[in-house]
Coordinates of all heavy atoms in Angstrom, one line a residue:
A215 N -149.3 -43.1 0.2 CA -150.7 -43.6 0.1 C -151.1 -43.9 -1.4 O -151.7 -44.9 -1.6 CB -151.7 -42.6 0.7
E216 N -150.6 -43.1 -2.3 CA -150.9 -43.4 -3.7 C -150.2 -44.7 -4.1 O -150.8 -45.6 -4.8 CB -150.3 -42.3 -4.6 CG -151.1 -41.0 -4.5 CD -150.5 -39.8 -5.2 OE1 -149.3 -39.9 -5.7 OE2 -151.2 -38.8 -5.4
R217 N -149.0 -44.9 -3.6 CA -148.2 -46.2 -4.0 C -148.8 -47.4 -3.3 O -148.9 -48.5 -3.9 CB -146.7 -46.0 -3.6 CG -145.9 -47.2 -3.7 CD -145.9 -47.8 -5.1 NE -145.1 -49.0 -5.1 CZ -145.6 -50.3 -4.8 NH1 -146.8 -50.4 -4.4 NH2 -144.8 -51.3 -4.9
S218 N -149.2 -47.3 -2.0 CA -149.6 -48.4 -1.2 C -151.1 -48.7 -1.4 O -151.6 -49.7 -1.0 CB -149.3 -48.3 0.3 OG -150.1 -47.2 0.8
R219 N -151.8 -47.6 -1.9 CA -153.3 -47.7 -2.1 C -154.0 -48.0 -0.7 O -155.1 -48.7 -0.7 CB -153.7 -48.7 -3.1 CG -153.1 -48.3 -4.5 CD -153.7 -49.2 -5.6 NE -153.5 -50.6 -5.5 CZ -152.4 -51.2 -6.0 NH1 -151.4 -50.6 -6.5 NH2 -152.2 -52.5 -5.8
C220 N -153.5 -47.4 0.3 CA -154.1 -47.5 1.6 C -153.7 -46.4 2.5 O -152.8 -45.6 2.1 CB -153.9 -48.9 2.3 SG -152.2 -49.2 2.7
R221 N -154.2 -46.3 3.7 CA -153.8 -45.3 4.7 C -152.3 -45.6 5.1 O -151.9 -46.7 5.2 CB -154.7 -45.4 5.9 CG -154.5 -44.4 7.0 CD -155.6 -44.5 8.0 NE -155.4 -45.6 9.0 CZ -154.8 -45.5 10.1 NH1 -154.2 -44.4 10.5 NH2 -154.7 -46.5 10.9
V222 N -151.6 -44.5 5.4 CA -150.2 -44.6 5.8 C -150.0 -43.7 7.0 O -150.7 -42.7 7.2 CB -149.2 -44.3 4.7 CG1 -149.3 -45.3 3.6 CG2 -149.4 -42.8 4.2
V223 N -149.0 -44.1 7.8 CA -148.6 -43.2 8.9 C -147.1 -43.0 8.9 O -146.4 -43.8 8.3 CB -149.0 -43.9 10.3 CG1 -150.5 -44.0 10.4 CG2 -148.3 -45.2 10.5
T224 N -146.7 -41.9 9.5 CA -145.2 -41.6 9.6 C -144.6 -42.5 10.7 O -145.0 -42.4 11.8 CB -145.0 -40.2 9.9 OG1 -145.7 -39.4 8.9 CG2 -143.5 -39.8 9.8
A225 N -143.6 -43.3 10.3 CA -142.9 -44.1 11.3 C -141.6 -43.4 11.8 O -141.2 -43.5 12.9 CB -142.6 -45.5 10.7
A226 N -140.9 -42.7 10.9 CA -139.7 -42.1 11.2 C -139.3 -41.0 10.2 O -139.7 -41.0 9.1 CB -138.5 -43.1 11.3
V227 N -138.5 -40.0 10.7 CA -137.9 -39.0 9.9 C -136.5 -39.0 10.2 O -136.1 -38.9 11.4 CB -138.5 -37.6 10.1 CG1 -137.9 -36.5 9.3 CG2 -140.0 -37.6 9.9
K228 N -135.6 -39.1 9.1 CA -134.2 -39.2 9.4 C -133.4 -38.2 8.5 O -133.9 -37.8 7.5 CB -133.7 -40.6 9.0 CG -134.4 -41.7 9.8 CD -133.7 -43.1 9.7 CE -133.5 -43.6 8.3 NZ -133.0 -45.0 8.3
E229 N -132.2 -37.9 9.0 CA -131.3 -37.1 8.2 C -131.9 -35.9 7.6 O -131.8 -35.6 6.4 CB -130.7 -38.0 7.0 CG -130.1 -39.3 7.5 CD -129.8 -40.2 6.4 OE1 -129.8 -39.8 5.2 OE2 -129.7 -41.4 6.6
M230 N -132.4 -35.0 8.5 CA -133.0 -33.7 8.0 C -132.2 -32.6 8.5 O -131.9 -32.5 9.7 CB -134.4 -33.7 8.4 CG -135.2 -32.6 7.8 SD -136.9 -32.7 8.1 CE -137.5 -31.2 7.5
A231 N -131.8 -31.7 7.6 CA -131.1 -30.5 8.1 C -131.6 -29.3 7.3 O -131.8 -29.4 6.0 CB -129.6 -30.6 7.8
F232 N -131.8 -28.2 7.9 CA -132.3 -26.9 7.3 C -131.1 -26.2 6.7 O -130.2 -25.8 7.5 CB -133.1 -26.1 8.2 CG -134.4 -26.7 8.6 CD1 -134.5 -27.5 9.7 CD2 -135.5 -26.6 7.8 CE1 -135.7 -28.1 10.1 CE2 -136.8 -27.2 8.1 CZ -136.8 -28.0 9.3
E233 N -131.1 -25.9 5.4 CA -130.0 -25.2 4.8 C -130.2 -23.8 4.6 O -129.3 -23.0 4.8 CB -129.8 -25.9 3.4 CG -129.4 -27.4 3.5 CD -129.5 -28.1 2.1 OE1 -129.3 -27.4 1.1 OE2 -129.7 -29.3 2.1
L234 N -131.5 -23.4 4.3 CA -131.8 -22.0 4.1 C -133.2 -21.7 4.7 O -134.0 -22.6 4.8 CB -131.9 -21.7 2.6 CG -130.6 -21.8 1.8 CD1 -130.9 -21.7 0.3 CD2 -129.6 -20.7 2.2
P235 N -133.5 -20.4 5.1 CA -134.8 -20.2 5.6 C -135.9 -20.0 4.5 O -135.5 -19.8 3.3 CB -134.6 -18.8 6.3 CG -133.5 -18.2 5.5 CD -132.6 -19.3 5.1
V236 N -137.1 -20.2 4.9 CA -138.2 -19.9 4.0 C -138.8 -18.6 4.6 O -138.9 -18.4 5.8 CB -139.3 -21.1 4.1 CG1 -140.5 -20.7 3.3 CG2 -138.7 -22.4 3.6

Side-chain angles (χ1 to χ4, degrees):
E216 288 172 349
R217 171 59 184 84
S218 66
R219 297 191 301 274
C220 66
R221 183 171 78 93
V222 296
V223 297
T224 307
V227 179
K228 303 192 308 188
E229 303 169 19
M230 189 167 171
F232 291 93
E233 300 168 26
L234 295 171
V236 176

